[in-house]
C-alpha cells in the first residue's frame, strides 16, 4: 500500500463555521454586573455542565450581529429535522471518545501499547466520521452552515488520505487479530513462542468436558485494580517478545502511527466544539420540557418593537426553588423606549425585569428563548443597576454607589442598548429619589436605548407620553396574595391601598356606613 502523510487526510478548504458568517467575527461580551444581576452565570453553569473541556462560556454571553443570529437560527431549525440532532450528537460523542483514548494512550509508558491503542481508536475515528457523513447526506438540510459541513465531510471522506487511513486501519487490525502465540510460565520465567499448527488445541476440549457440570453462571471475584489501558512490566515484556516474533506487523504499526498523527484534523475539532453551543441549549430545553416552558426562535425585530408572550425567567425555572413560575407578557411599540414597573413588594417585578434581560441576551446570541412567542430587537449591550447592599470596604454610601454606577452607565450607553434598573436610589428620601430618577430616566429615554425600571415611585411611570407603565398585580379578593402577573396599566398609587382597604372594610363606603349607624 502506498504510504500517506498526515496532511493527506486534511482538505485544503475548511468547513464553514456553525456559529458565524465572518471568519473574524466581532461581538460584545455581557459585562460582569449584568451577568450577576441577571443570574447569567447560573444559566451558563447549567449550559456548560459536562462540557468544561470546550470552554463555551464566551459564546453564551457574547452579543453578536444580526447576520450571525440568522445564521444560528438556521442551524437550530435544521436540528429539529429528524435524524440531524441524533447524528450530530453521535458524532460529538464519538469524537470525544477518540480524544479521551488518545489522551489516555499518550500517558502510557510502553510504546507498543500506545501504538495498539492508536490503531484501535483510528478505527473508531473512521467510523465516527463516516457515520456523520451518512447522517448529513440523508437529511434535508436548509442551513448554509450544515449544507457546507455536509459537503466538506463528504469530500473529506472521499479524499485519498482518509480512504487510505480506513484501509490501512482495517488491514492492520486484521493482521494483528491473526497473530497467535503461546505463553508458558516456568517459575520466574516466561516463555513466548509461536503457535505450532500441528499442536492440538486443548482448551475447547477442556471446556467441553466440564460443560456438563455447569449449573449456573459462577460469581465473578475479579476486581479492576488499575487503568485498563496500562500494561505492567510482565505484560510489556510479553508484548516485546510477540513483536520479535512478528516484526513486519509491528513495524507496519509504528509507521502507521507516525503517518497519521495528528489523527483528528483541527477543522473537525472546531466543528465539534461549535456544535456544543447548540447541543447545550437543546439539552436545557429538554430539561424544561415537563415544567410548562415553551421555547421559540425569536423573530428579530428590524425596529425597536418588542412582543413577548409566555416568557419565563429561565434561571428561576431551572433552579427549581418554586413549584410554579408564572409566565410574563410584554408589548412595547417602536417609540416606547421606557418601561416602568411598579407594584407591591414581592410581586414579581424584579423577576419580570430579569426575564426581559435574559430574553434579550439569548436573542442576541442567536439562541431560542423561553417563550411561546417572541419578537425581540437585537441589542448590542445589556447594562444593569440592581439594588445591592453597601460595600463596607470602599467607605462610600449606597446612594454614592448608585450615582457612580449611573454615571458610568450613561457614559457607555449606545442607542441599541438595553438598560435594566432595579430600585435605583432607594436608599435616599422619596423626594430625592424622584428627582434623581426623573433625571436618569429622562437621559435614558433621550439616548434612544430601551430601559426597564423597577421602582416604588409611581410618579416615574408618568414621565413622558411614551413611557409605558406596568404594575405587579394582586388578587382582588385577597390583596396579600400576589398573582406575580405584571399587567400593562397606569399606576395610580392607590390600587394596592384600595385592595387592602376593601379587605379590612376600611373603604370610604365602609367608614360612612359605620359612622351613620
Amino acid at each position: 500500500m502506498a504510504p500517506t502523510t498526515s496532511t493527506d487526510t486534511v482538505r485544503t478548504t475548511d468547513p464553514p463555521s456553525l456559529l458565524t458568517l465572518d471568519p473574524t467575527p466581532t461581538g460584545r461580551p455581557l459585562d460582569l454586573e449584568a451577568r450577576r444581576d441577571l443570574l447569567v452565570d447560573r444559566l451558563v453553569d447549567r449550559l456548560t455542565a459536562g462540557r468544561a473541556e470546550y470552554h463555551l462560556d464566551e459564546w453564551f454571553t457574547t452579543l453578536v450581529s444580526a447576520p450571525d443570529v440568522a445564521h444560528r437560527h438556521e442551524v437550530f431549525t435544521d436540528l429539529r429535522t429528524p435524524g440531524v440532532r441524533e447524528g450530530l450528537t453521535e458524532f460529538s460523542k464519538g469524537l470525544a471518545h477518540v480524544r479521551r483514548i488518545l489522551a489516555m494512550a499518550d500517558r502510557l509508558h510502553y510504546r507498543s501499547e500506545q501504538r495498539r491503542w492508536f490503531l484501535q481508536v483510528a478505527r473508531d475515528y473512521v467510523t465516527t466520521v463516516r457515520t456523520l457523513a451518512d447522517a448529513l447526506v440523508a437529511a434535508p438540510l436548509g442551513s448554509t452552515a450544515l449544507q457546507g459541513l455536509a459537503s466538506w465531510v463528504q469530500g473529506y471522506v472521499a479524499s485519498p488520505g482518509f480512504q487510505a487511513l480506513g484501509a490501512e486501519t482495517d488491514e492492520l487490525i486484521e493482521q494483528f487479530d491473526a497473530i497467535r502465540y503461546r505463553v508458558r510460565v516456568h517459575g520466574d520465567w516466561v516463555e513466548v513462542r509461536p503457535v505450532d499448527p500441528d499442536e492440538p488445541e486443548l482448551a475447547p476440549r477442556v471446556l467441553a468436558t466440564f460443560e456438563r457440570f455447569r449449573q449456573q453462571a459462577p460469581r465473578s471475584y475479579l476486581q479492576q485494580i488499575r487503568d485498563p489501558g496500562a500494561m505492567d512490566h510482565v505484560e510489556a515484556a510479553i508484548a516485546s517478545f510477540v513483536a520479535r516474533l512478528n516484526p513486519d506487523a509491528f513495524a507496519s504499526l509504528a509507521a502507521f502511527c507516525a503517518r497519521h498523527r495528528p489523527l483528528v484534523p483541527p477543522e473537525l475539532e472546531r466543528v465539534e466544539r461549535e456544535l456544543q453551543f447548540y447541543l447545550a441549549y437543546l439539552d436545557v430545553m429538554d430539561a424544561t420540557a415537563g415544567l410548562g416552558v415553551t421555547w421559540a426562535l425569536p423573530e428579530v425585530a428590524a425596529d425597536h418593537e418588542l412582543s413577548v408572550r409566555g416568557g419565563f425567567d429561565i434561571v428561576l425555572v431551572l433552579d427549581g426553588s418554586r413549584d410554579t413560575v408564572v409566565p410574563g407578557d410584554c408589548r412595547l411599540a417602536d417609540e416606547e423606549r421606557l418601561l416602568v414597573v411598579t407594584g407591591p413588594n414581592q410581586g414579581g417585578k424584579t423577576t419580570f425585569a430579569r426575564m426581559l434581560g435574559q430574553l434579550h441576551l439569548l436573542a442576541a446570541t442567536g439562541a431560542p428563548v423561553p417563550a411561546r412567542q417572541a419578537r425581540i430587537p437585537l441589542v448590542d449591550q445589556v447594562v444593569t443597576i440592581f439594588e445591592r447592599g453597601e460595600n463596607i470596604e470602599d467607605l462610600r454610601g449606597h446612594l454614592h454607589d448608585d450615582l457612580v454606577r449611573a454615571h458610568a452607565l450613561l457614559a457607555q450607553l449606545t442607542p441599541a442598548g438595553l438598560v435594566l434598573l432595579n430600585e435605583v436610589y432607594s436608599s435616599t428620601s422619596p423626594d430625592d429619589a424622584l428627582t434623581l430618577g426623573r433625571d436618569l430616566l429622562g437621559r435614558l429615554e433621550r439616548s434612544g436605548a430601551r430601559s426597564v425600571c423597577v421602582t416604588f415611585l409611581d410618579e416615574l411611570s408618568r414621565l413622558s407620553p411614551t413611557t409605558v407603565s406596568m404594575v405587579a398585580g394582586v388578587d382582588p379578593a385577597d390583596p396579600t396574595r400576589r398573582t406575580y402577573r405584571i399587567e400593562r396599566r397606569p399606576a395610580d398609587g392607590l390600587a394596592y391601598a384600595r385592595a387592602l382597604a376593601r379587605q379590612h372594610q376600611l373603604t370610604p363606603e365602609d367608614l360612612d356606613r359605620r359612622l351613620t349607624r
Side-chain angles (χ1 to χ4, degrees):
M1 182 175 295
T4 63
T5 64
S6 60
T7 55
D8 290 332
T9 60
V10 180
R11 295 286 303 275
T12 56
T13 58
D14 292 346
S17 169
L18 300 184
L19 294 178
T20 63
L21 290 170
D22 190 337
T24 57
T26 57
R28 186 160 186 168
L30 190 67
D31 67 45
L32 295 178
E33 292 281 341
R35 288 178 65 137
R36 177 170 60 180
D37 293 335
L38 300 180
L39 306 181
V40 170
D41 287 333
R42 285 161 62 180
L43 174 59
V44 171
D45 287 344
R46 184 62 180 266
L47 288 166
T48 57
R51 292 182 166 88
E53 63 180 302
Y54 298 106
H55 306 289
L56 305 177
D57 181 291
E58 60 176 309
W59 289 341
F60 298 128
T61 55
T62 299
L63 315 180
V64 299
S65 65
D68 284 345
V69 168
H71 187 71
R72 297 177 184 189
H73 281 192
E74 288 183 352
V75 176
F76 272 114
T77 300
D78 270 349
L79 288 169
R80 297 172 179 170
T81 303
V84 175
R85 178 183 176 185
E86 293 78 7
L88 290 171
T89 299
E90 287 306 309
F91 162 71
S92 176
K93 290 180 179 178
L95 217 56
H97 163 76
V98 169
R99 193 162 48 249
R100 285 193 298 271
I101 298 300
L102 288 174
M104 182 270 293
D106 286 342
R107 295 192 299 269
L108 297 177
H109 180 68
Y110 299 105
R111 186 64 57 84
S112 60
E113 186 181 19
Q114 290 180 340
R115 291 169 178 167
R116 186 61 181 88
W117 276 110
F118 185 88
L119 175 62
Q120 183 64 42
V121 82
R123 182 169 66 177
D124 296 339
Y125 170 69
V126 169
T127 301
T128 294
V129 176
R130 286 174 175 166
T131 302
L132 173 65
D134 292 343
L136 293 177
V137 169
L141 302 173
S143 67
T144 302
L146 291 184
Q147 286 177 351
L149 175 61
S151 177
W152 185 90
V153 171
Q154 290 176 60
Y156 174 56
V157 168
S159 66
F162 187 85
Q163 292 291 320
L165 172 64
E168 286 184 66
T169 300
D170 292 341
E171 181 180 314
L172 275 173
I173 288 178
E174 183 178 349
Q175 190 173 353
F176 271 82
D177 286 346
I179 292 177
R180 295 290 183 271
Y181 58 92
R182 294 203 183 279
V183 177
R184 289 184 177 180
V185 180
H186 308 277
D188 294 336
W189 293 84
V190 176
E191 178 188 3
V192 180
R193 61 185 178 86
V195 173
D196 184 350
D198 296 328
E199 182 179 352
E201 182 64 55
L202 300 179
R205 299 182 188 179
V206 173
L207 292 175
T209 300
F210 286 95
E211 180 65 28
R212 70 188 72 178
F213 303 108
R214 182 191 298 273
Q215 295 181 352
Q216 60 184 5
R219 177 181 175 184
S220 175
Y221 291 91
L222 295 176
Q223 301 221 358
Q224 189 66 51
I225 59 176
R226 68 177 192 276
D227 187 334
M231 292 194 303
D232 59 30
H233 67 286
V234 175
E235 293 169 326
I238 293 173
S240 68
F241 293 148
V242 174
R244 290 166 60 182
L245 293 173
N246 302 272
D248 292 341
F250 278 80
S252 297
L253 176 60
F256 171 86
C257 294
R259 279 196 301 273
H260 295 292
R261 286 184 181 274
L263 180 63
V264 184
E267 296 91 341
L268 268 185
E269 290 184 332
R270 173 180 60 78
V271 166
E272 197 246 335
R273 179 174 179 244
E274 291 181 336
L275 182 59
Q276 302 309 312
F277 174 85
Y278 300 93
L279 298 181
Y281 272 115
L282 293 173
D283 286 349
V284 168
M285 292 164 65
D286 290 345
T288 62
L291 303 176
V293 179
T294 302
W295 293 76
L297 285 174
E299 178 186 355
V300 177
D303 51 18
H304 280 75
E305 182 179 340
L306 173 68
S307 175
V308 175
R309 292 173 52 201
F312 286 90
D313 176 345
I314 192 59
V315 177
L316 195 63
V317 173
L318 293 172
D319 184 53
S321 57
R322 294 187 182 179
D323 294 335
T324 58
V325 180
V326 178
D329 299 340
C330 185
R331 178 179 54 81
L332 298 175
D334 179 34
E335 68 278 3
E336 295 174 336
R337 303 299 178 87
L338 176 58
L339 170 61
V340 178
V341 186
T342 58
N345 291 335
Q346 306 300 317
K349 303 188 300 296
T350 300
T351 298
F352 181 79
R354 195 164 54 222
M355 174 197 76
L356 290 178
Q358 292 172 5
L359 292 178
H360 280 81
L361 167 64
L362 294 177
T365 60
V369 298
R372 289 197 309 275
Q373 176 274 332
R375 188 174 193 269
I376 301 176
L378 292 184
V379 295
D380 61 6
Q381 63 178 163
V382 179
V383 189
T384 62
I385 301 181
F386 274 40
E387 183 183 24
R388 58 175 56 96
E390 293 185 7
N391 185 350
I392 62 175
E393 296 180 357
D394 62 14
L395 301 180
R396 296 200 304 256
H398 197 163
L399 177 59
H400 188 176
D401 285 339
D402 282 349
L403 291 170
V404 169
R405 292 158 67 195
H407 181 270
L409 181 156
L410 292 170
Q412 65 172 312
L413 191 60
T414 68
L418 173 69
V419 179
L420 300 167
L421 307 174
N422 184 29
E423 304 290 8
V424 66
Y425 305 138
S426 60
S427 62
T428 188
S429 67
D431 288 343
D432 288 343
L434 182 58
T435 300
L436 294 170
R438 280 173 174 162
D439 178 71
L440 176 58
L441 294 185
R443 291 170 183 262
L444 292 176
E445 199 166 26
R446 291 190 295 272
S447 73
R450 174 154 283 157
S451 304
V452 178
C453 176
V454 174
T455 180
F456 59 90
L457 300 170
D458 290 350
E459 293 88 346
L460 294 179
S461 68
R462 300 183 289 274
L463 187 65
S464 72
T466 57
T467 301
V468 174
S469 170
M470 297 190 74
V471 181
V474 296
D475 186 346
D478 181 5
T480 62
R481 178 178 175 273
R482 276 58 166 164
T483 65
Y484 302 109
R485 295 194 177 278
I486 311 298
E487 306 162 352
R488 178 166 171 152
R489 59 180 172 83
D492 57 13
L494 300 176
Y496 186 52
R498 286 172 178 165
L500 287 174
R502 283 196 300 271
Q503 182 189 29
H504 298 286
Q505 298 183 348
L506 294 174
T507 64
E509 293 79 9
D510 293 326
L511 294 175
D512 184 65
R513 186 168 56 254
R514 292 179 184 179
L515 293 173
T516 57
R517 284 181 179 174

